Amino acid sequence: MKTEMRFFACALAVMLGSSCGPSYADWADSKEPLVIRPAPSRLAEQPQNPPSFSWARYPVYPKPAGYVLEVTSSTGVVSRYNTPRNFYLPSKAMADGTYTWRVRPNNNNDWSAPRSFTISSRSAKFEVPEGTDLKLAVQNHGRSRLLPKNFTPYANWTEAMKSARGAAYKALTADVIAGMSLATVNDGMWPAMATLQGTALSSTIYNVKVNVYATTHQLEAAALLYRLTADPRYLAEAKKRGDELVALNPDGNTGYQNSDSAHRAITLSLSKAMDYLWNSMDATQRKRWQTMVVKRAKTIYTDLSSYDGRMDEYPYDSHGAVALGYLALISSLALDNDVPEANDWFDFSVRAYFNAVFVWSGPEGGYAAGTPYGLYEAAASLQIWGPLKEATGVSLYEKPWAIGFARMFAHFLPPGAPGFVFGDQHESKIDFSVLKSFTSRVQTPEAAWYSNLLSGGEDPLIQLVAEYPLPISKVAKPAPPPNAALYPSIGWVAMHSDLTNPLRTSVYFKSSPYGAYNHSHGDQNTIVVDSGGRRLLTEAGYQDYYYSPLSVAWYRQTKAHNGITFDGGVGQVAEGRDNITRNGSITAFSTTTALDYAEGDATPAYAGQLTSAIRKVWYLRGSNAIVVLDKLVSPTARKFEWNLHAPTTIAVESARAVKITNLNSSLCVSSLPSVAEQYIRITAPANPTSKTEDHGAFVKSSASTAGEFLIVLDVDCKRPAITLTPTATGRTLKVGQQTLTLPK
């Protein structure tokens, strides 16, 4: 239920003479699954100093005008902050120590429950000035606000700059010249979306974005090339393409309701080009462009600010999160006497965006919706963060969330990785050039190690407006992250034999608190395995379009992943408004030089169909083998299934053993004896993105209320000796020369 609906219900109660207060003691922690959670909490050490504070809105009518946030330490009250919104980002770092915070509406003394957190020497300082100071910095910057202060026309480049960016300059020139033959983008290019549905609608949305993106890129590239060369051809081309975009109907196919991606791209592109050409446009043309920017930006602002800032309370909106960043930059470029509305846009969006980038993970960084959409987030960030840093002086690349985001890519899309893991579009091809661009702007040894090993060049339009030199050039000694890592707030674990070896073995395990929400799947307690640069255990299927019948019936389901189902493919609940509660969690993690271990609990993901679903995963680094133990309990008898999928044919060796060979890499999978079971092949929808995709499952022969699978995955099919010996307290499993102690 939306906050406003609660307020309406409370107002009705007041009119009827009843009281209307919170329906539960700690009002800051809403029972609604999609409402923002209170943070920080649980004495957690904060990656960021100062931390961001958030809480659910006060569920009482009339709503308060704001909140009072109180922070205390052992010596008493440290700070009190007043804020009109249900989050707060202090502008100054805190001293190391343990703190407690609580919050109340500013019209009563109904304090929330106290919550504690810790600031330590490991908490990285990330200070964002107050809004008035940010606005002053923008207004004092001068035009161009986008370009670095040391921006230099090409004729004045040093030999070092030409060596570093000369190829990008040549590529941009060729790109713009080729783009001069682009057809004029216009509303007549597409059928009206109101008449379409299904595949036809999806295809039209795609075509709108392709056509618009080509023109916005040409506009920005021509404008930048003019700034680099002062060649009037490029000025004329930029003005021509800008006029084309201005002529598009902001309420038509490129409108926010039909294609928010195209709408925000047009708005930002016109804003950037105007900033580049500020002193090279006549007042009439600039006003025409400005008028369209205002019209389109108002639409974005109206959406995001609806319900008093809808995402303050309901933050899990991937498109809205990107739109907030676009609005932050658009408003920074529009701050001018000619655009008074930009003041409200700026006040609403800029500090909120600096605060809330980490909606898809906790402040340590990560991206719960999957690595494909993490890459798309990185691409969007490249459009926004550099220019926003130049305009405001605040670099989001220094935010602990961004540092953790870059580290996540190193762990889950390491150099030479054969594919994405987790979430929608996992079947797509990785564009490592985007990851190289993003991580080259994160000044850490890990990001430098990762970025330096990635192939592909940057988009010249992005590279040529970036600061020179890039931040990673200042890293004295690049170094890889650890071979194994847990990302607790998204529930992901990576285990590698040797992250520095391109022929590494990689095991990816997921049990996420975000469940199957948004672009995530019903894949809690599932694994993916790579080795020798090849995928061996894969995620199956492809997405024809978001939430298509095919996607819902197969691609998003547990049976399309390497996880547990029962009774013919029944698995986790992957659809519905509350699928964020059909989730998992990593309940244990450890790593040594000899082995890595993780445990996941996916019981909530099965929505009561199972009363316990625990998976334990060991990566035996010394043996290059993986052991997976699943323990399952059901209120009714079921035939349990251990699903596996490969991008190549699965060869059946026996009822309990199969072999997967992908060119020069192989994986032998053995199910150790417990009760009778057999391996069966599974027929699945064809996947046009894969030449071969094979599917199967180890299936228990009879139904039971409890089940166990003990699986050994032998990388490279070395065929080590495997023994399982009962003990007084459990069992001992020996794989080659490594021994594990297992529960009964």
Side-chain angles (χ1 to χ4, degrees):
M1 185 187 295
K2 296 282 189 184
T3 301
E4 285 62 35
M5 296 171 68
R6 294 200 303 266
F7 288 157
F8 177 80
C10 288
L12 181 61
V14 170
M15 287 188 288
L16 295 175
S18 303
S19 62
C20 189
S23 59
Y24 40 90
D26 185 13
W27 58 266
D29 188 4
S30 173
K31 306 306 178 188
E32 296 182 42
L34 299 182
V35 169
I36 194 166
R37 307 260 63 88
S41 63
R42 301 179 181 177
L43 269 178
E45 182 178 271
Q46 296 304 294
Q48 178 177 299
N49 181 17
S52 172
F53 296 87
S54 62
W55 55 91
R57 286 177 175 170
Y58 194 62
V60 170
Y61 185 87
K63 61 184 179 181
Y67 299 89
V68 177
L69 171 68
E70 182 182 84
V71 179
T72 60
S73 68
S74 58
T75 60
V77 175
V78 174
S79 302
R80 280 196 181 92
Y81 307 103
N82 291 285
T83 174
R85 299 165 75 172
N86 58 304
F87 73 85
Y88 191 75
L89 178 62
S91 58
K92 296 297 181 183
M94 299 178 177
D96 292 358
T98 298
Y99 296 88
T100 299
W101 69 276
R102 60 178 185 166
V103 64
R104 65 170 175 82
N106 63 3
N107 60 1
N108 66 44
N109 286 316
D110 191 2
W111 288 103
S112 68
R115 292 175 168 83
S116 298
F117 63 94
T118 301
I119 299 293
S120 79
S121 59
R122 291 180 293 272
S123 305
K125 183 184 292 187
F126 180 72
E127 294 179 332
V128 179
E130 297 295 344
T132 52
D133 295 327
L134 286 172
K135 192 177 296 183
L136 188 61
V138 170
Q139 292 170 326
N140 287 341
H141 188 286
R143 301 288 181 174
S144 166
R145 291 173 182 167
L146 285 170
L147 296 176
K149 293 181 178 63
N150 64 351
F151 178 80
T152 307
Y154 180 73
N156 298 328
W157 279 18
T158 64
E159 289 304 314
M161 285 189 68
K162 289 179 180 178
S163 176
R165 297 188 175 181
Y169 169 77
K170 291 178 181 178
L172 186 72
T173 303
D175 197 19
V176 171
I177 291 172
M180 288 179 175
S181 62
L182 276 174
T184 299
V185 66
N186 63 87
D187 290 311
M189 299 178 76
W190 320 286
M193 289 187 190
T195 65
L196 305 175
Q197 57 184 340
T199 302
L201 177 60
S202 176
S203 177
T204 300
I205 291 172
Y206 174 78
N207 288 330
V208 167
K209 289 193 290 186
V210 167
N211 295 138
V212 166
Y213 290 172
T215 303
T216 56
H217 186 277
Q218 180 71 355
L219 166 61
E220 292 179 44
L224 176 60
L225 196 54
Y226 174 71
R227 287 298 303 266
L228 284 164
T229 65
D231 188 326
R233 291 180 300 161
Y234 305 135
L235 177 62
E237 174 69 2
K239 290 180 176 180
K240 172 188 172 184
R241 298 303 177 177
D243 284 344
E244 289 176 13
L245 293 171
V246 167
L248 292 172
N249 180 4
D251 299 315
N253 276 13
T254 65
Y256 195 67
Q257 295 304 315
N258 289 319
S259 180
D260 63 331
S261 299
H263 182 100
R264 72 193 182 213
I266 293 168
T267 314
L268 183 57
S269 186
L270 287 169
S271 301
K272 285 183 173 181
M274 268 194 296
D275 185 67
Y276 291 148
L277 306 177
W278 196 260
N279 297 316
S280 303
M281 299 178 72
D282 62 68
T284 301
Q285 187 176 42
R286 185 165 65 230
K287 186 63 178 178
R288 188 165 67 250
W289 289 21
Q290 223 167 34
T291 299
M292 182 53 67
V293 165
V294 169
K295 185 172 182 62
R296 287 185 179 270
K298 274 184 176 178
T299 305
I300 300 172
Y301 172 67
T302 298
D303 169 45
L304 299 180
S305 64
S306 63
Y307 303 105
D308 294 321
R310 60 180 180 83
M311 290 180 60
D312 291 355
E313 184 168 35
Y314 290 90
Y316 304 116
D317 177 349
S318 56
H319 283 239
V322 173
L324 184 66
Y326 273 65
L327 185 62
L329 181 53
I330 290 163
S331 66
S332 297
L333 298 178
L335 274 178
D336 192 89
N337 292 335
D338 293 340
V339 189
E341 302 94 331
N343 284 281
D344 290 338
W345 308 342
F346 188 96
D347 292 341
F348 172 79
S349 64
V350 174
R351 286 193 101 254
Y353 184 63
F354 287 145
N355 173 71
V357 170
F358 54 81
V359 64
W360 295 111
S361 81
E364 81 280 4
Y367 206 78
T371 55
Y373 276 83
L375 184 147
Y376 303 152
E377 180 72 40
S381 300
L382 287 165
Q383 293 287 333
I384 300 167
W385 290 10
L388 200 55
K389 172 186 176 182
E390 186 60 36
T392 66
V394 177
S395 175
L396 276 166
Y397 292 108
E398 297 174 6
K399 187 178 176 72
W401 182 91
I403 293 169
F405 188 48
R407 184 184 301 120
M408 179 203 76
F409 288 131
H411 274 125
F412 290 90
L413 297 177
F420 285 114
V421 291
F422 308 139
D424 283 347
Q425 299 190 20
H426 60 66
E427 70 282 5
S428 304
K429 187 176 180 179
I430 304 171
D431 184 352
F432 280 108
S433 66
V434 171
L435 302 179
K436 184 178 183 71
S437 289
F438 182 88
T439 53
S440 70
R441 289 151 173 79
V442 178
Q443 193 175 326
T444 67
E446 294 173 344
W449 171 84
Y450 182 64
S451 185
N452 289 340
L453 289 174
L454 297 184
S455 59
E458 287 199 46
D459 179 343
L461 180 56
I462 299 295
Q463 186 177 13
L464 292 172
V465 298
E467 60 189 285
Y468 175 81
L470 290 172
I472 62 163
S473 67
K474 303 170 187 175
V475 175
K477 190 176 181 181
N483 285 325
L486 163 66
Y487 290 74
S489 66
I490 61 173
W492 291 15
V493 173
M495 310 173 187
H496 300 280
S497 58
D498 180 357
L499 199 53
T500 65
N501 187 341
L503 299 180
R504 71 186 76 82
T505 294
S506 301
V507 183
Y508 305 110
F509 179 42
K510 173 185 175 184
S511 198
S512 176
Y514 287 83
Y517 191 71
N518 190 253
H519 291 292
S520 296
H521 290 187
D523 58 355
Q524 316 321 315
N525 276 13
T526 68
I527 61 173
V528 175
V529 177
D530 296 338
S531 189
R534 310 293 180 189
R535 181 132 297 169
L536 296 171
L537 278 189
T538 192
E539 301 166 284
Y542 77 105
Q543 178 179 266
D544 47 352
Y545 60 91
Y546 183 58
Y547 258 76
S548 71
L550 173 64
S551 177
V552 169
W554 170 246
Y555 181 68
R556 292 175 54 85
Q557 296 297 321
T558 314
K559 61 187 177 182
H561 299 79
N562 303 302
I564 297 296
T565 59
F566 48 84
D567 299 343
V570 179
Q572 299 165 19
V573 175
E575 274 62 60
R577 176 184 179 275
D578 291 343
N579 62 6
I580 197 169
T581 67
R582 312 309 186 192
N583 56 28
S585 60
I586 300 296
T587 51
F589 171 74
S590 62
T591 179
T592 68
T593 56
L595 63 86
D596 304 323
Y597 169 69
E599 176 183 296
D601 183 354
T603 307
Y606 291 92
Q609 299 173 100
L610 301 181
T611 53
S612 182
I614 307 296
R615 170 167 282 189
K616 301 173 186 286
V617 179
W618 292 263
Y619 174 55
L620 283 62
R621 191 169 284 107
S623 303
N624 201 16
I626 306 148
V627 175
V628 181
L629 174 62
D630 287 283
K631 289 279 196 176
L632 310 159
V633 180
S634 169
T636 58
R638 303 189 184 280
K639 281 190 176 182
F640 295 106
E641 301 145 358
W642 202 96
N643 296 271
L644 66 159
H645 307 273
T648 184
T649 301
I650 301 173
V652 180
E653 297 187 325
S654 72
R656 289 182 175 273
V658 300
K659 181 178 180 179
I660 298 166
T661 303
N662 190 351
L663 297 178
N664 54 345
S665 296
S666 61
L667 183 71
C668 286
V669 185
S670 303
S671 180
L672 302 189
S674 54
V675 300
E677 66 185 46
Q678 62 178 336
Y679 179 81
I680 64 169
R681 292 192 180 277
I682 294 172
T683 302
N687 182 354
T689 69
S690 177
K691 291 181 180 179
T692 304
E693 196 174 74
D694 205 359
H695 321 276
F698 294 108
V699 180
K700 299 299 182 184
S701 299
S702 58
S704 175
T705 57
E708 175 186 278
F709 290 97
L710 180 56
I711 310 291
V712 176
L713 298 96
D714 169 24
V715 179
D716 294 331
C717 294
K718 304 175 298 298
R719 313 287 183 175
I722 301 173
T723 59
L724 183 64
T725 306
T727 66
T729 58
R731 295 164 291 176
T732 298
L733 174 66
K734 188 172 184 181
V735 180
Q737 298 304 308
Q738 288 193 262
T739 301
L740 297 177
T741 300
L742 306 178
K744 286 186 177 180

